[in-house]
Amino acid sequence: IRRQLSEVVEDGLGREVGRFDGVFGGYQVYNHVICTMFLSIRAAVAVTNVFREQMHDLMGEHPTKVIFAMDQRFQKIFFVDVRDGMVFIWNRGGRATFTAAVPFQGPALPEGAAREGLAVRLGSLKSRPDLNGRAGTLGAYDASRDRWEVKLADGSGTHLLRPANLLQDDGRADALLRWFDEFSRRLRDGVYVRRPILPEMGESSVGLVLFPASGEELSRCVTRGVEVTASCVYMPEHSGMWGYSIAFRLLGTAEERGFETCQLKTRRWEIAEDGEAPSVVNGEGVIGLFPILADGGWICNRESDPQLQYSGHSDSVRLGEFRYQSSSGALRAMSGSFGGALTFIPGTIKKPTGPPFEARLDAFRLYVPDYLFEV
């Protein structure tokens, strides 16, 4: 199916698909690379038809969903439901078949209004966020559990839900427009920016990156002139659940900091599930790297990159911040936080010029966002 879909997409675009093509942006964690393309109408129709042929059991349950965007490797596919404009994501190998990518904004169901046969929408489901926004019909009420039976309109199942998770289905069909509007706002506000999707590939992988670069989702802390920034993306298709991007750089002058360079030695991550004590992870460097920070960038040589992950080693400064990307691991509660500290050595590990110090990583939130672009 991947080969057939690739041929259809390339025919619709009129050219070969580039690895980092994608107006809706992407991200990378280890060898997991996502970059989402916006399909032309011709390509969207053709790809949807292929998908229906190859995934007929799945699409037989969802006949009103049409593909409008997808990543090059077909790991994540965006659908719009032509009945009501709701946007969903299907991810191959993910924990959910379809996940709502935009919140349904209908009013709450008035007290006493629920009755068997009533059309409703689902919302505020934290343990099953993939059900939010789905349309359904009320069945029987279980008074002993205070739950309503809800049969989903797309035929994908029946669930017992609390009254608080039931919304009025008022017939609005503006979800796709709201999804585009929110994406445009994030572009205007600089939340999503152009930079290398794969840090080690540099300019050859430049694209629109979905790790937030500003706003309330960005963590930032400065310790002794070392700035540490971090943010995450939600990845339901990946066992790591959240991908995170952490960047280091030097601020100020050597006189103000008390050193010209410093090298990362160890890290301590504190990953906390809401309501639980944090799990502490200690390790050497980050993903096999021990960056040496310098004014304007970092030094990439055998000391900082012993596994040769980067090409072009030298003792000169590689301009720009050092950035690496990894994943946090899954959380049962589907929400929590990620913080910690990094130990730096003034000078280098081999030639220290002062005692070690810790640079703080202020905690950033791990959660399932209302609007999904990165999954």
Side-chain angles (χ1 to χ4, degrees):
I1 186 172
R2 285 179 59 185
R3 179 186 57 78
Q4 192 172 357
L5 286 174
S6 181
E7 292 173 354
V8 169
V9 171
E10 290 179 0
D11 182 60
L13 291 174
R15 59 176 175 79
E16 184 176 348
V17 178
R19 186 178 184 188
F20 304 108
D21 281 343
V23 70
F24 293 133
Y27 57 88
Q28 168 263 341
V29 172
Y30 296 112
N31 62 350
H32 184 67
V33 182
I34 295 293
C35 200
T36 306
M37 303 174 292
F38 186 25
L39 300 179
S40 67
I41 293 178
R42 175 187 175 193
V45 171
V47 168
T48 300
N49 287 337
V50 170
F51 206 79
R52 284 175 176 160
E53 292 171 4
Q54 299 293 331
M55 308 284 287
H56 49 83
D57 289 341
L58 173 69
M59 295 305 291
E61 296 178 354
H62 302 274
T64 58
K65 291 182 173 65
V66 175
I67 296 169
F68 72 93
M70 62 196 307
D71 81 291
Q72 182 192 353
R73 299 176 67 186
F74 315 108
Q75 300 171 99
K76 294 181 178 180
I77 301 178
F78 286 74
F79 288 80
V80 59
D81 193 318
V82 296
R83 294 177 309 168
D84 54 23
M86 280 297 294
V87 179
F88 296 91
I89 298 172
W90 178 88
N91 36 88
R92 181 165 49 91
R95 64 187 298 272
T97 302
F98 285 99
T99 301
V102 58
F104 180 73
Q105 294 186 339
L109 199 64
E111 186 175 354
R115 65 181 187 279
E116 192 168 346
L118 181 68
V120 297
R121 291 281 183 164
L122 309 185
S124 302
L125 287 158
K126 295 182 179 179
S127 61
R128 288 294 306 273
D130 54 295
L131 295 179
N132 289 327
R134 298 283 189 94
T137 302
L138 294 184
Y141 175 64
D142 185 340
S144 64
R145 302 173 64 185
D146 191 26
R147 298 286 197 281
W148 280 93
E149 182 182 77
V150 182
K151 182 179 181 181
L152 297 183
D154 59 15
S156 59
T158 300
H159 302 270
L160 288 174
L161 301 174
R162 296 178 185 274
N165 299 124
L166 306 178
L167 305 174
Q168 293 185 55
D169 190 347
D170 58 1
R172 65 177 61 196
D174 62 349
L176 181 61
L177 295 177
R178 288 189 287 112
W179 187 86
F180 271 99
D181 187 60
E182 175 62 17
F183 185 76
S184 299
R185 182 196 67 78
R186 297 186 187 196
L187 292 177
R188 291 194 304 270
D189 293 351
V191 176
Y192 299 150
V193 299
R194 289 185 74 254
R195 68 172 185 237
I197 292 177
L198 279 68
E200 66 273 18
M201 288 185 62
E203 293 299 311
S204 63
S205 70
V206 166
L208 187 64
V209 175
L210 298 183
F211 289 110
S214 66
E216 60 183 16
E217 294 177 274
L218 180 72
S219 158
R220 179 181 183 272
C221 189
V222 180
T223 308
R224 287 195 61 184
V226 176
E227 179 192 63
V228 181
T229 58
S231 61
C232 72
V233 296
Y234 173 55
M235 308 186 303
E237 85 289 352
H238 193 278
S239 60
M241 194 59 70
W242 286 274
Y244 62 83
S245 179
I246 300 178
F248 319 136
R249 65 171 179 166
L250 292 184
L251 301 179
T253 65
E255 291 74 21
E256 293 168 338
R257 297 188 301 262
F259 53 84
E260 291 187 357
T261 65
C262 64
Q263 184 172 13
L264 177 66
K265 184 178 182 182
T266 62
R267 71 186 186 279
R268 183 183 76 256
W269 296 151
E270 301 162 2
I271 305 171
E273 189 164 352
D274 284 351
E276 303 289 339
S279 298
V280 178
V281 179
N282 294 289
E284 300 287 324
V286 288
I287 59 171
L289 295 164
F290 303 81
I292 302 170
L293 305 185
D295 286 325
W298 63 287
I299 297 170
C300 182
N301 56 22
R302 287 302 294 266
E303 287 185 61
S304 59
D305 182 16
Q307 298 178 17
L308 304 179
Q309 298 182 53
Y310 283 77
S311 60
H313 279 195
S314 75
D315 289 326
S316 60
V317 174
R318 183 181 288 252
L319 297 179
E321 63 197 4
F322 168 82
R323 181 178 296 278
Y324 92 100
Q325 291 155 189
S326 187
S327 60
S328 66
L331 300 176
R332 292 189 304 274
M334 298 299 290
S335 62
S337 63
F338 188 117
L342 304 117
T343 299
F344 283 90
I345 307 296
T348 66
I349 295 172
K350 289 185 177 180
K351 296 180 179 180
T353 61
F357 66 94
E358 281 195 343
R360 185 69 193 167
L361 167 63
D362 275 356
F364 54 88
R365 292 289 298 159
L366 303 174
Y367 71 105
V368 180
D370 289 333
Y371 286 89
L372 299 179
F373 306 102
E374 62 269 15
V375 298

PDB file of all heavy atoms in Angstrom, residues 117-141:
ATOM      1  N   GLY A 117     -31.729   7.699  22.101  1.00  0.00           N
ATOM      2  CA  GLY A 117     -31.918   8.106  20.712  1.00  0.00           C
ATOM      3  C   GLY A 117     -31.428   9.498  20.397  1.00  0.00           C
ATOM      4  O   GLY A 117     -31.428   9.903  19.230  1.00  0.00           O
ATOM      5  N   LEU A 118     -30.977  10.268  21.407  1.00  0.00           N
ATOM      6  CA  LEU A 118     -30.514  11.641  21.182  1.00  0.00           C
ATOM      7  C   LEU A 118     -29.132  11.644  20.531  1.00  0.00           C
ATOM      8  O   LEU A 118     -28.228  10.912  20.945  1.00  0.00           O
ATOM      9  CB  LEU A 118     -30.451  12.394  22.515  1.00  0.00           C
ATOM     10  CG  LEU A 118     -30.003  13.861  22.437  1.00  0.00           C
ATOM     11  CD1 LEU A 118     -31.059  14.704  21.721  1.00  0.00           C
ATOM     12  CD2 LEU A 118     -29.728  14.411  23.843  1.00  0.00           C
ATOM     13  N   ALA A 119     -28.951  12.489  19.515  1.00  0.00           N
ATOM     14  CA  ALA A 119     -27.644  12.655  18.874  1.00  0.00           C
ATOM     15  C   ALA A 119     -26.767  13.553  19.744  1.00  0.00           C
ATOM     16  O   ALA A 119     -27.204  14.621  20.180  1.00  0.00           O
ATOM     17  CB  ALA A 119     -27.816  13.269  17.489  1.00  0.00           C
ATOM     18  N   VAL A 120     -25.546  13.121  20.009  1.00  0.00           N
ATOM     19  CA  VAL A 120     -24.627  13.870  20.872  1.00  0.00           C
ATOM     20  C   VAL A 120     -23.227  13.875  20.265  1.00  0.00           C
ATOM     21  O   VAL A 120     -22.949  13.172  19.289  1.00  0.00           O
ATOM     22  CB  VAL A 120     -24.558  13.250  22.288  1.00  0.00           C
ATOM     23  CG1 VAL A 120     -25.909  13.321  22.986  1.00  0.00           C
ATOM     24  CG2 VAL A 120     -24.051  11.803  22.228  1.00  0.00           C
ATOM     25  N   ARG A 121     -22.363  14.700  20.873  1.00  0.00           N
ATOM     26  CA  ARG A 121     -20.926  14.680  20.605  1.00  0.00           C
ATOM     27  C   ARG A 121     -20.208  14.318  21.896  1.00  0.00           C
ATOM     28  O   ARG A 121     -20.731  14.550  22.997  1.00  0.00           O
ATOM     29  CB  ARG A 121     -20.452  16.046  20.126  1.00  0.00           C
ATOM     30  CG  ARG A 121     -20.947  16.437  18.762  1.00  0.00           C
ATOM     31  CD  ARG A 121     -20.127  15.758  17.682  1.00  0.00           C
ATOM     32  NE  ARG A 121     -20.571  16.199  16.369  1.00  0.00           N
ATOM     33  CZ  ARG A 121     -19.859  16.026  15.262  1.00  0.00           C
ATOM     34  NH1 ARG A 121     -18.690  15.429  15.326  1.00  0.00           N
ATOM     35  NH2 ARG A 121     -20.323  16.431  14.098  1.00  0.00           N
ATOM     36  N   LEU A 122     -19.008  13.793  21.771  1.00  0.00           N
ATOM     37  CA  LEU A 122     -18.224  13.413  22.940  1.00  0.00           C
ATOM     38  C   LEU A 122     -17.126  14.443  23.191  1.00  0.00           C
ATOM     39  O   LEU A 122     -16.552  15.006  22.252  1.00  0.00           O
ATOM     40  CB  LEU A 122     -17.593  12.030  22.743  1.00  0.00           C
ATOM     41  CG  LEU A 122     -18.544  10.912  22.298  1.00  0.00           C
ATOM     42  CD1 LEU A 122     -17.803   9.576  22.275  1.00  0.00           C
ATOM     43  CD2 LEU A 122     -19.765  10.845  23.189  1.00  0.00           C
ATOM     44  N   GLY A 123     -16.818  14.689  24.451  1.00  0.00           N
ATOM     45  CA  GLY A 123     -15.782  15.663  24.778  1.00  0.00           C
ATOM     46  C   GLY A 123     -15.228  15.457  26.181  1.00  0.00           C
ATOM     47  O   GLY A 123     -15.794  14.728  27.002  1.00  0.00           O
ATOM     48  N   SER A 124     -14.072  16.090  26.459  1.00  0.00           N
ATOM     49  CA  SER A 124     -13.420  16.075  27.777  1.00  0.00           C
ATOM     50  C   SER A 124     -13.040  14.681  28.246  1.00  0.00           C
ATOM     51  O   SER A 124     -13.004  14.410  29.448  1.00  0.00           O
ATOM     52  CB  SER A 124     -14.318  16.747  28.820  1.00  0.00           C
ATOM     53  OG  SER A 124     -14.626  18.066  28.452  1.00  0.00           O
ATOM     54  N   LEU A 125     -12.747  13.786  27.317  1.00  0.00           N
ATOM     55  CA  LEU A 125     -12.304  12.434  27.668  1.00  0.00           C
ATOM     56  C   LEU A 125     -10.779  12.424  27.736  1.00  0.00           C
ATOM     57  O   LEU A 125     -10.105  12.488  26.713  1.00  0.00           O
ATOM     58  CB  LEU A 125     -12.805  11.423  26.628  1.00  0.00           C
ATOM     59  CG  LEU A 125     -14.307  11.122  26.685  1.00  0.00           C
ATOM     60  CD1 LEU A 125     -14.790  10.566  25.351  1.00  0.00           C
ATOM     61  CD2 LEU A 125     -14.607  10.154  27.800  1.00  0.00           C
ATOM     62  N   LYS A 126     -10.239  12.350  28.938  1.00  0.00           N
ATOM     63  CA  LYS A 126      -8.791  12.410  29.116  1.00  0.00           C
ATOM     64  C   LYS A 126      -8.113  11.068  28.880  1.00  0.00           C
ATOM     65  O   LYS A 126      -7.022  11.007  28.321  1.00  0.00           O
ATOM     66  CB  LYS A 126      -8.465  12.931  30.518  1.00  0.00           C
ATOM     67  CG  LYS A 126      -8.908  14.368  30.740  1.00  0.00           C
ATOM     68  CD  LYS A 126      -8.526  14.850  32.128  1.00  0.00           C
ATOM     69  CE  LYS A 126      -8.954  16.302  32.317  1.00  0.00           C
ATOM     70  NZ  LYS A 126      -8.604  16.797  33.676  1.00  0.00           N
ATOM     71  N   SER A 127      -8.751   9.989  29.289  1.00  0.00           N
ATOM     72  CA  SER A 127      -8.145   8.673  29.113  1.00  0.00           C
ATOM     73  C   SER A 127      -8.332   8.124  27.705  1.00  0.00           C
ATOM     74  O   SER A 127      -7.597   7.235  27.280  1.00  0.00           O
ATOM     75  CB  SER A 127      -8.720   7.675  30.118  1.00  0.00           C
ATOM     76  OG  SER A 127     -10.115   7.518  29.932  1.00  0.00           O
ATOM     77  N   ARG A 128      -9.315   8.645  26.968  1.00  0.00           N
ATOM     78  CA  ARG A 128      -9.552   8.247  25.575  1.00  0.00           C
ATOM     79  C   ARG A 128      -9.694   9.491  24.708  1.00  0.00           C
ATOM     80  O   ARG A 128     -10.764   9.772  24.169  1.00  0.00           O
ATOM     81  CB  ARG A 128     -10.806   7.370  25.461  1.00  0.00           C
ATOM     82  CG  ARG A 128     -10.665   5.969  26.004  1.00  0.00           C
ATOM     83  CD  ARG A 128      -9.658   5.135  25.196  1.00  0.00           C
ATOM     84  NE  ARG A 128      -9.945   5.111  23.782  1.00  0.00           N
ATOM     85  CZ  ARG A 128     -10.772   4.239  23.189  1.00  0.00           C
ATOM     86  NH1 ARG A 128     -11.414   3.339  23.925  1.00  0.00           N
ATOM     87  NH2 ARG A 128     -10.957   4.264  21.878  1.00  0.00           N
ATOM     88  N   PRO A 129      -8.628  10.281  24.565  1.00  0.00           N
ATOM     89  CA  PRO A 129      -8.730  11.510  23.779  1.00  0.00           C
ATOM     90  C   PRO A 129      -9.083  11.266  22.320  1.00  0.00           C
ATOM     91  O   PRO A 129      -9.573  12.166  21.641  1.00  0.00           O
ATOM     92  CB  PRO A 129      -7.334  12.126  23.920  1.00  0.00           C
ATOM     93  CG  PRO A 129      -6.431  10.987  24.246  1.00  0.00           C
ATOM     94  CD  PRO A 129      -7.265  10.066  25.091  1.00  0.00           C
ATOM     95  N   ASP A 130      -8.865  10.029  21.833  1.00  0.00           N
ATOM     96  CA  ASP A 130      -9.209   9.717  20.451  1.00  0.00           C
ATOM     97  C   ASP A 130     -10.712   9.753  20.205  1.00  0.00           C
ATOM     98  O   ASP A 130     -11.163   9.833  19.054  1.00  0.00           O
ATOM     99  CB  ASP A 130      -8.653   8.344  20.068  1.00  0.00           C
ATOM    100  CG  ASP A 130      -9.091   7.246  21.031  1.00  0.00           C
ATOM    101  OD1 ASP A 130      -8.682   7.322  22.205  1.00  0.00           O
ATOM    102  OD2 ASP A 130      -9.827   6.337  20.613  1.00  0.00           O
ATOM    103  N   LEU A 131     -11.523   9.688  21.291  1.00  0.00           N
ATOM    104  CA  LEU A 131     -12.976   9.727  21.130  1.00  0.00           C
ATOM    105  C   LEU A 131     -13.545  11.139  21.136  1.00  0.00           C
ATOM    106  O   LEU A 131     -14.700  11.345  20.752  1.00  0.00           O
ATOM    107  CB  LEU A 131     -13.650   8.922  22.248  1.00  0.00           C
ATOM    108  CG  LEU A 131     -13.377   7.415  22.270  1.00  0.00           C
ATOM    109  CD1 LEU A 131     -14.103   6.765  23.447  1.00  0.00           C
ATOM    110  CD2 LEU A 131     -13.789   6.765  20.958  1.00  0.00           C
ATOM    111  N   ASN A 132     -12.770  12.114  21.579  1.00  0.00           N
ATOM    112  CA  ASN A 132     -13.276  13.488  21.642  1.00  0.00           C
ATOM    113  C   ASN A 132     -13.669  13.987  20.253  1.00  0.00           C
ATOM    114  O   ASN A 132     -12.943  13.799  19.274  1.00  0.00           O
ATOM    115  CB  ASN A 132     -12.225  14.415  22.246  1.00  0.00           C
ATOM    116  CG  ASN A 132     -12.039  14.171  23.721  1.00  0.00           C
ATOM    117  OD1 ASN A 132     -12.979  13.829  24.424  1.00  0.00           O
ATOM    118  ND2 ASN A 132     -10.822  14.354  24.213  1.00  0.00           N
ATOM    119  N   GLY A 133     -14.821  14.634  20.182  1.00  0.00           N
ATOM    120  CA  GLY A 133     -15.315  15.154  18.914  1.00  0.00           C
ATOM    121  C   GLY A 133     -16.155  14.180  18.125  1.00  0.00           C
ATOM    122  O   GLY A 133     -16.821  14.576  17.156  1.00  0.00           O
ATOM    123  N   ARG A 134     -16.166  12.908  18.523  1.00  0.00           N
ATOM    124  CA  ARG A 134     -16.941  11.915  17.767  1.00  0.00           C
ATOM    125  C   ARG A 134     -18.448  12.145  17.955  1.00  0.00           C
ATOM    126  O   ARG A 134     -18.907  12.554  19.006  1.00  0.00           O
ATOM    127  CB  ARG A 134     -16.606  10.504  18.228  1.00  0.00           C
ATOM    128  CG  ARG A 134     -15.157  10.084  18.027  1.00  0.00           C
ATOM    129  CD  ARG A 134     -14.842   9.724  16.595  1.00  0.00           C
ATOM    130  NE  ARG A 134     -13.527   9.131  16.493  1.00  0.00           N
ATOM    131  CZ  ARG A 134     -13.286   7.824  16.519  1.00  0.00           C
ATOM    132  NH1 ARG A 134     -14.276   6.964  16.645  1.00  0.00           N
ATOM    133  NH2 ARG A 134     -12.054   7.380  16.418  1.00  0.00           N
ATOM    134  N   ALA A 135     -19.205  11.839  16.911  1.00  0.00           N
ATOM    135  CA  ALA A 135     -20.664  11.903  16.968  1.00  0.00           C
ATOM    136  C   ALA A 135     -21.213  10.541  17.377  1.00  0.00           C
ATOM    137  O   ALA A 135     -20.626   9.496  17.051  1.00  0.00           O
ATOM    138  CB  ALA A 135     -21.223  12.319  15.619  1.00  0.00           C
ATOM    139  N   GLY A 136     -22.327  10.547  18.108  1.00  0.00           N
ATOM    140  CA  GLY A 136     -22.933   9.290  18.528  1.00  0.00           C
ATOM    141  C   GLY A 136     -24.404   9.451  18.872  1.00  0.00           C
ATOM    142  O   GLY A 136     -24.947  10.563  18.848  1.00  0.00           O
ATOM    143  N   THR A 137     -25.010   8.346  19.215  1.00  0.00           N
ATOM    144  CA  THR A 137     -26.420   8.325  19.599  1.00  0.00           C
ATOM    145  C   THR A 137     -26.542   7.643  20.954  1.00  0.00           C
ATOM    146  O   THR A 137     -25.938   6.591  21.180  1.00  0.00           O
ATOM    147  CB  THR A 137     -27.253   7.563  18.562  1.00  0.00           C
ATOM    148  OG1 THR A 137     -27.084   8.169  17.279  1.00  0.00           O
ATOM    149  CG2 THR A 137     -28.729   7.587  18.934  1.00  0.00           C
ATOM    150  N   LEU A 138     -27.337   8.254  21.852  1.00  0.00           N
ATOM    151  CA  LEU A 138     -27.500   7.691  23.180  1.00  0.00           C
ATOM    152  C   LEU A 138     -28.359   6.434  23.147  1.00  0.00           C
ATOM    153  O   LEU A 138     -29.385   6.371  22.455  1.00  0.00           O
ATOM    154  CB  LEU A 138     -28.150   8.710  24.120  1.00  0.00           C
ATOM    155  CG  LEU A 138     -27.334   9.964  24.461  1.00  0.00           C
ATOM    156  CD1 LEU A 138     -28.082  10.804  25.485  1.00  0.00           C
ATOM    157  CD2 LEU A 138     -25.952   9.591  24.971  1.00  0.00           C
ATOM    158  N   GLY A 139     -27.895   5.438  23.937  1.00  0.00           N
ATOM    159  CA  GLY A 139     -28.664   4.225  24.116  1.00  0.00           C
ATOM    160  C   GLY A 139     -29.248   4.202  25.521  1.00  0.00           C
ATOM    161  O   GLY A 139     -29.744   5.223  26.012  1.00  0.00           O
ATOM    162  N   ALA A 140     -29.109   3.088  26.192  1.00  0.00           N
ATOM    163  CA  ALA A 140     -29.680   2.929  27.526  1.00  0.00           C
ATOM    164  C   ALA A 140     -28.832   3.634  28.577  1.00  0.00           C
ATOM    165  O   ALA A 140     -27.617   3.790  28.419  1.00  0.00           O
ATOM    166  CB  ALA A 140     -29.807   1.446  27.860  1.00  0.00           C
ATOM    167  N   TYR A 141     -29.478   4.046  29.666  1.00  0.00           N
ATOM    168  CA  TYR A 141     -28.804   4.692  30.791  1.00  0.00           C
ATOM    169  C   TYR A 141     -28.623   3.692  31.927  1.00  0.00           C
ATOM    170  O   TYR A 141     -29.568   2.999  32.322  1.00  0.00           O
ATOM    171  CB  TYR A 141     -29.618   5.890  31.281  1.00  0.00           C
ATOM    172  CG  TYR A 141     -29.065   6.555  32.524  1.00  0.00           C
ATOM    173  CD1 TYR A 141     -27.831   7.171  32.510  1.00  0.00           C
ATOM    174  CD2 TYR A 141     -29.808   6.563  33.714  1.00  0.00           C
ATOM    175  CE1 TYR A 141     -27.315   7.790  33.650  1.00  0.00           C
ATOM    176  CE2 TYR A 141     -29.315   7.179  34.861  1.00  0.00           C
ATOM    177  CZ  TYR A 141     -28.060   7.788  34.825  1.00  0.00           C
ATOM    178  OH  TYR A 141     -27.563   8.389  35.950  1.00  0.00           O
TER     179      TYR A 141
END
